Amino acid sequence: MSAIKQRIVRHSHAWHRLLGWTGALALLIFALSGLTHPLMTWTGPRAASFFPPQLKVHGAELSRFPQILARHGIDQAIMVKVVPTERGAAVQVTEDPQAARRYFDLHSGEEWPDYDAQQARWLARFYTGLAQAPIKEVHHQTEFDDAYPWVNRLLPVYRIRFDTPDERTAFVYTELGALAGLTNDWKTALQSIFRALHTFSWLQGQENARVLLMAALLLALLAMSATGTAMVLLIKNRALPWKKKIHRLIGYLAGMPVLLFTLSGLYHLLAGAYGESPRGLQLGPPMTLSGAQLGGLDGWLAQHAHQSFNNLSLIQGPDARL
């Protein structure tokens, strides 16, 4: 072995031993956090349905919704849709992305006051299959938390908690009629463990300290893996005691995966802490729903009066036309 190789091996061996315990601790922490993620998927509650409720409405019925908007003086809205509800087809109007949505009977044109929470209850029962279980809590949630973290994207949601032994909880996003999340006591506990080990959420509010501690552990793991890989590649596979043979085999199998895992972890840590991370779905700007704008829909609706639809949404194009 050349002098340069000997020097590399000597320094690698020294740093590998020095950082061994710290790197092993980091590997254990992140490996345990990684195991909780599939465990949540395998053992957590499952939805009874993965598709939203279906709507079937004729074009002739849809011709009523422009008059409904005009009748109630709605001249601006972020989103207007015809959606299925427990009471039949309704016009759903989103005026404020953080506020409850408004609902109007597609046939009578009457508004259903404070119906958004009832829509969320109906959707929660549909997705969970809990048609008869009592509902323990209905909460309009505008921020992410431990049970509903920011990776779910959708806000605001309704948190519907059922009175079941496992505290089954559905998070419903009424604008899309979507099940944004489903959890219970067991899954929420696993989620808390995952966040504590994987993102060090227990240092919430101390962002610089969190990033510094996690970066130190990842760098120690990176150095331990890099020095171990260097020794595996440079030291010839001569006769070794069985313990060192096992150690060497682990180095062959785990060296490159741990290196890549650590590099990706450092990237995600820094990008998540200091980069721009989209947290939540952003709806578009309000649409103008003047009489002239809505009047242009009459011809299109008349052409499709004999067709059936399962969804209808008003969308404003780049030329400001609906």
Side-chain angles (χ1 to χ4, degrees), residues 38 58 71 85 106 116 142 145 175-176 191 208 225 278 290 305:
H58 292 286
R71 170 182 168 183
T85 74
L106 182 62
D116 203 33
T142 58
D145 58 18
E175 195 277 314
L176 294 177
Q191 204 163 48
N208 289 333
S225 179
S290 63

Side-chain angles (χ1 to χ4, degrees), residues 15-300:
W15 280 105
H16 193 73
R17 289 179 61 88
L18 179 64
L19 298 172
W21 287 108
T22 306
L25 175 63
L27 184 60
L28 178 63
I29 290 173
F30 295 123
L32 287 175
S33 73
L35 287 173
T36 59
H37 202 275
L39 191 59
M40 283 189 287
T41 303
W42 297 335
T43 64
R46 297 180 180 273
S49 177
F50 295 95
F51 297 96
Q54 298 300 303
L55 171 71
K56 188 174 183 180
V57 61
H58 292 286
E61 298 175 277
L62 293 175
S63 63
R64 304 183 186 124
F65 87 85
Q67 287 75 31
I68 293 173
L69 298 177
R71 170 182 168 183
H72 292 275
I74 300 173
D75 56 8
Q76 271 200 340
I78 293 175
M79 187 70 69
V80 178
K81 302 176 69 175
V82 176
V83 298
T85 74
E86 190 177 20
R87 297 167 62 174
V91 178
Q92 180 197 70
V93 178
T94 302
E95 296 177 310
D96 182 340
Q98 294 299 313
R101 292 163 176 85
R102 298 173 68 184
Y103 293 80
F104 304 87
D105 190 300
L106 182 62
H107 300 98
S108 69
E110 296 295 326
E111 182 170 5
W112 299 337
D114 303 321
Y115 192 77
D116 203 33
Q118 181 59 36
Q119 177 76 347
R121 291 187 185 93
W122 176 66
L123 289 169
R125 291 192 183 281
F126 173 81
Y127 282 115
T128 60
L130 299 174
Q132 303 299 325
I135 292 178
K136 190 175 182 179
E137 177 194 25
V138 178
H139 175 67
H140 189 246
Q141 184 165 331
T142 58
E143 295 181 354
F144 298 109
D145 58 18
D146 287 350
Y148 185 71
W150 68 268
V151 293
N152 292 286
R153 305 295 188 194
L154 300 177
L155 277 181
V157 293
Y158 283 90
R159 184 176 70 227
I160 313 294
R161 180 172 298 165
F162 291 90
D163 190 6
T164 58
D166 65 346
E167 294 282 316
R168 190 73 53 90
T169 303
F171 296 90
V172 175
Y173 186 66
T174 54
E175 195 277 314
L176 294 177
L179 180 67
L182 183 63
T183 188
N184 58 8
D185 284 348
W186 166 248
K187 185 177 178 180
T188 300
L190 284 178
Q191 204 163 48
S192 297
I193 294 172
F194 172 78
R195 295 178 71 245
L197 295 176
H198 197 76
T199 66
F200 286 20
S201 59
W202 45 276
L203 281 173
Q204 189 173 5
Q206 303 291 329
E207 186 65 4
N208 289 333
R210 184 186 74 86
V211 172
L212 184 63
L213 179 57
M214 291 192 69
L217 288 173
L218 286 169
L219 287 172
L221 180 56
L222 178 64
M224 184 189 76
S225 179
T227 54
T229 302
M231 287 189 291
V232 165
L233 295 176
L234 294 177
I235 298 177
K236 293 182 179 180
N237 188 14
R238 55 183 183 273
L240 295 171
W242 67 270
K243 290 183 179 180
K244 290 189 176 182
K245 287 183 178 180
I246 293 176
H247 192 96
R248 186 181 183 87
L249 178 62
I250 293 173
Y252 274 118
L253 296 176
M256 189 56 66
V258 172
L259 273 173
L260 296 176
F261 160 79
T262 309
L263 290 172
S264 68
L266 280 169
Y267 169 78
H268 284 290
L269 172 66
L270 298 176
Y274 302 116
E276 292 186 6
S277 179
R279 300 197 175 196
L281 177 69
Q282 300 297 319
L283 298 180
M287 300 179 292
T288 300
L289 304 173
S290 63
Q293 291 274 57
L294 293 174
L297 297 174
D298 292 338
W300 185 89

